[in-house]
Amino acid sequence: MNGNPIIHAIVLAAATLLLLPLPVALLRGWTPERLRSRAVARSYAYAMLGLYAQACLNTVPRMLDAPAGLTTACTAAGVGLAVAAAVYFMQAALRARRPDPAGRR
């Protein structure tokens, strides 16, 4: 039912390489000019970490050939993380539209 564990391992490795470095850098203090403020960068970082956690929740139980109930529960939790990520992306978009009180661009 869970498929080939090698495929899930490849997907998890790709998600790690694509989704993990940027949020870690943003949370460590690096902020690109385009994001304007730390608050926007932090929201983006939390959203991307939520998507990474969703990838982990969707692949690890399948790699371990977990029972169907556990796999379904992890998938449902992944949907919750996707909704939380969408909320953080919206929060970042709203914060980016606000004018900067210090007058910086």
Side-chain angles (χ1 to χ4, degrees):
M1 177 196 149
N2 291 329
N4 188 353
I6 301 297
I7 300 296
H8 295 295
I10 292 170
V11 169
L12 185 59
T16 301
L17 291 174
L18 294 173
L19 292 175
L20 200 55
L22 181 63
V24 169
L26 290 173
L27 290 175
R28 296 234 17 201
W30 177 72
T31 304
E33 278 186 41
R34 221 177 130 189
L35 292 182
R36 295 187 186 174
S37 73
R38 291 275 306 135
V40 174
R42 201 172 322 117
S43 293
Y44 274 119
Y46 291 149
M48 290 182 71
L49 285 176
L51 293 177
Y52 176 70
Q54 178 190 19
C56 292
L57 279 174
N58 282 328
T59 57
V60 171
R62 288 172 173 84
M63 285 173 35
L64 299 175
D65 200 27
L70 181 63
T71 304
T72 303
C74 288
T75 301
V79 170
L81 285 170
V83 170
V87 168
Y88 275 117
F89 278 131
M90 291 294 293
Q91 183 182 30
L94 291 174
R95 285 182 177 174
R97 293 186 64 166
R98 290 186 196 150
D100 191 8
R104 290 174 280 154
R105 290 194 123 188

